[in-house]
Each structure stands twice: as structure tokens, then as C-alpha cells.
Amino acid sequence: MIRFIRNWLIGAAIVLTLTGAAMSYLGKHVLRWQPPARPPAWEAKAAKSGTVPVTNAKPLKRSQPVRIYIPKIRVWARIEPRGLRRNGAVGLPSLKTPFLTTWFDRGPAPGQPGTAAIYGHVDADKVGPAVFYRLGSLRRKDLIYVTLASSDVAIFRVYSIAMYAKTQFPTATIYRYTHWPTLRLITCGGRFDPATHHYLSNVVVFASYVGARR
Amino acid sequence: MRFVKAVIAAACVSTAWLAAMVLAGPTPTTSAAPAAPARLAVAKVSAEHLTARVSPDPSAPGTRTTFDVYCGPHAFSATLFGVTLGMANLILMHSTPGGMSGEFSLTVTLPNSIAPGTYHPSVDCSNGAAGVFEFSVNPVPQQPPETGDGATATQTGSPLVPIGYGLMMIGVLAGGVALRRRVMARH
């Protein structure tokens, strides 16, 4: 009986040690999170053609956006206005506030004719996935709600989603004026370059205004 | 007597002709002098009626922007001075299809290099009217945003690591106990 227990203990010790070693190895070498989702190439067609879906809803007057809600990817975040930095890049939230988004306040506001742009981080140290981590999972017809300071909630419907290499970032396609109110949600994506500590691409969601509610 | 009748008849005819001349007013050939003020009047009216509009306003670099002008009647062309926008100096505007006479339009793509600010490009009409458009160019981000530090693409060390270490410790302890029992059993 004692021999049985002893043998059982030795067997269990070997199994536990080997399993523990394997788990530690895997844990150290496997990424902690899944890489950010990449939108399929076919979702970019509408953005390339430049056609914007239009409804008969009444565009809104300019009002600062304060909150964004995207049910599909469970985003409910605060929006802060930012302008341009000296190098021509848009002001972004600090990586210390990875669940904050920013609106480019030198352009149109959401719901106004033109192209409004909202930015958010895809990930950040310590927290991992950030506010727009799942942006690449959005698909056409998904809804986006932007609450304005005027208490109006501008509702947008996604009509395209694309990923662009940063070296060929199509500024004109993304920020082109649209006579109908449109919205762009922008974050990073694609491959990460450990040498430069930057993602090599941007994920851009194109959405069109469908109406507002109080 | 016959001579007196002839004189009276001639006097009547000349009086009637003079009266007709006075009533008819100046002939086309004699109206050359007052024509100049008339033409000036047309130009003045056009200048008063010149309306210029830019859409969208504010615009942005790389944006297709439409310039609409109404020069007033009697204008058959209009020219936009595009040099302030970083474009050709003289750009002929087109008659607005289906629009009123004197309406002209031009759609151009603003250069990507245009600086943000307020612009006042001039417009000249063929009827002498002239004016300026006024519109703003908003800046557009020229750099792709850097939104992320690669945490999800680089960070390893899932919860498997502490669990694995725990299992290894338990295994070592179990092995130690087993070996100790074996040694004790020998004694």
C-alpha cells in the first residue's frame, strides 16, 4: 500500500512538473492577447469608390461630440477635442488614458455636412487592448452613436472599413469633404514593427449619418 | 397769289418735318454720345448684383471645391484668378447649365499643399463686373495617427505562467515527499 502511494506520488510529481514547465514555456512565448482584428479586403470597396450612402435625415448644427457608443464592439467612451500638432499629425489621447477617444476639432462635427474624424488607441501598455482594439471587427450596417454637447445623439451606419499602410495613407480619401455628414473612426492595425514601436497600418471605419435622436 | 400759296405750302411742310424730327428724338447715329453712360450703367448694375459663393466653406486641402458667381446680365464669361490658391492664374469659369444668364461655376480640387487660412481669390466678369470670393481652408491631418504601442502585438506572459510555476512547485513537493518516504522505508 505504501509502495503504491509512493509510486503514485512519484508519477503525479513527474506529470505535474512537466505540465507546469510546458505551461510556463507556452505562457512566456505565446502572445497574451490576440492581435487586433483585420478588416477583410472586400469591406474597403465602398471607401475606394467614394460613394456615400445618403438618407433624408436632417443634418445637425455644429456641436462638440462628448461620447461615442458602438454596441457591436462594446465601446462606450468619452470624446475630447484635439487640434493638430506641429508635425501635421492630429492630437491624440495619451497612452495613459487608453479608453479615451479624440475628435479632430478643426474639421466638421459629427452630424454636420463633411467628414468628422474620431481617433482612439488600439492598445496600450499595462492594459493591453484599448478603446478601439476591436474596431477591425466592425462590418457594414453596424451602428455608431455619437452624443453631442447639444444632447443630440447622431447615429451613423458603417458603409466601409479599410486598412491602409501608413506609408501610403490616403489623406484625400479619408478626409475628403462629403456633402453628406460622414464619420471616420481611426486607429492602428496590421503588423507591429518592434524596431520603430509603431504599427505599420491604420484601420479606418467609414460611416454615414442616418439620423439623430434626443 | 400762286407764289404766296407755294410759300405757305413750303412753310407747312418744313414745320411738319421739324415737328416730326423733334418728336422722334435722336437717330441711332446721333445716339453715340449718350451710349457710353448707358454702358457704364450696365457695369455698375452688374457690380452691384455680383454674388459669389464657395462650397464647401470651410473647405480643406485636396477637397473638390465649387466657386459660383452671378455676374449680372450681359456677361458671357467669367474668370477666376487662382494664383492665390496655388493654381493657374486665370481659370475660365463655365456657364451654369440650366442656370440664368450671367451665372458661372467652376469646380476645382484644392491643392494638398494649400495652407490653412482665409482666401480671397478674385473674379472678373466680361461685363466689367469684378469681385472676390471669400472662404476658409481648414487644416487636414497630414500624418497617419500613431494610436497604440503594440502591447497586444508584443506582450507575452499569459496567466499560464504562474499556473505553470504552481504546478511545477507542487510536482517538486510531491516528488520530494515520495522520495523521503522511500528513504524512510529503507531505514
Side-chain angles (χ1 to χ4, degrees):
Chain A
M1 184 66 186
I2 291 172
R3 178 176 285 184
F4 172 76
I5 293 171
R6 197 177 62 211
N7 288 343
W8 188 89
L9 269 175
I10 290 172
I14 292 169
V15 170
L16 283 171
T17 309
L18 289 177
T19 308
M23 285 175 78
S24 312
Y25 179 85
L26 279 174
K28 278 187 177 173
H29 291 85
V30 171
L31 286 175
R32 191 168 177 182
W33 295 282
Q34 290 282 323
R38 292 176 180 225
W42 50 266
E43 285 280 10
K45 275 183 187 170
K48 204 173 179 182
S49 72
T51 49
V52 176
V54 172
T55 67
N56 55 5
K58 190 180 167 193
L60 300 172
K61 288 181 180 171
R62 186 178 180 86
S63 177
Q64 184 180 318
V66 290
R67 281 239 168 228
I68 183 166
Y69 173 50
I70 313 172
K72 168 83 176 284
I73 56 173
R74 284 167 286 159
V75 167
W76 171 242
R78 205 155 52 84
I79 304 173
E80 283 193 352
R82 291 279 200 286
L84 276 184
R85 291 187 291 192
R86 282 186 185 174
N87 64 353
V90 69
L92 297 169
S94 160
L95 280 164
K96 291 175 184 170
T97 53
F99 296 101
L100 185 69
T101 63
T102 55
W103 161 61
F104 177 55
D105 63 0
R106 305 292 299 274
Q112 268 192 304
T115 306
I118 293 176
Y119 306 82
H121 286 296
V122 66
D123 56 19
D125 194 23
K126 292 180 183 168
V127 298
V131 63
F132 279 172
Y133 174 67
R134 294 184 187 88
L135 205 63
S137 309
L138 285 178
R139 293 293 176 267
R140 269 180 289 178
K141 297 185 180 176
D142 287 338
L143 292 176
I144 300 163
Y145 301 83
V146 180
T147 307
L148 307 173
S150 63
S151 301
D152 286 314
V153 179
I155 307 168
F156 295 85
R157 184 177 287 133
V158 175
Y159 67 88
S160 186
I161 176 164
M163 192 160 78
Y164 301 108
K166 288 189 178 177
T167 51
Q168 297 166 344
F169 192 70
T171 303
T173 303
I174 291 166
Y175 298 113
R176 169 172 47 209
Y177 178 86
T178 52
H179 291 278
W180 185 248
T182 54
L183 179 68
R184 307 282 183 263
L185 305 181
I186 305 174
T187 193
C188 284
R191 274 195 337 112
F192 182 78
D193 183 2
T196 60
H197 294 282
H198 290 309
Y199 281 95
L200 298 180
S201 305
N202 282 109
V203 173
V204 183
V205 170
F206 296 73
S208 172
Y209 177 70
V210 292
R213 70 176 187 208
R214 278 256 163 190
Chain B
M1 188 63 187
R2 193 176 286 175
F3 173 75
V4 173
K5 277 185 180 175
V7 169
I8 290 170
C12 287
V13 168
S14 60
T15 307
W17 182 77
L18 280 170
M21 287 294 288
V22 168
L23 286 174
T27 61
T29 49
T30 56
S31 66
R39 207 179 292 150
L40 282 176
V42 167
K44 192 179 173 190
V45 167
S46 297
E48 282 171 1
H49 286 221
L50 190 144
T51 50
R53 196 165 58 89
V54 182
S55 174
D57 182 18
S59 187
T63 297
R64 282 180 69 77
T65 306
T66 301
F67 297 84
D68 291 305
V69 65
Y70 174 64
C71 295
H74 311 294
F76 55 86
S77 71
T79 307
L80 174 76
F81 292 84
V83 72
T84 55
L85 307 174
M87 301 164 71
N89 187 20
L90 301 174
I91 308 171
L92 194 64
M93 301 182 75
H94 312 288
S95 296
T96 309
M100 292 190 334
S101 166
E103 268 188 357
F104 301 94
S105 182
L106 177 72
T107 300
V108 295
T109 301
L110 295 182
N112 284 321
S113 56
I114 192 168
T118 304
Y119 286 82
H120 299 93
S122 306
V123 58
D124 268 7
C125 303
S126 62
N127 61 357
V132 289
F133 292 98
E134 180 177 324
F135 73 107
S136 304
V137 174
N138 271 349
V140 159
Q142 293 298 324
Q143 303 278 335
E146 297 295 349
T147 44
D149 61 5
T152 59
T154 55
Q155 282 188 12
T156 55
S158 69
L160 284 178
V161 177
I163 296 170
Y165 282 141
L167 287 179
M168 280 169 72
M169 280 182 67
I170 295 168
V172 168
L173 279 174
V177 169
L179 289 173
R180 188 179 165 79
R181 280 182 173 254
R182 194 174 185 179
V183 171
M184 284 174 69
R186 276 188 188 166
H187 289 284

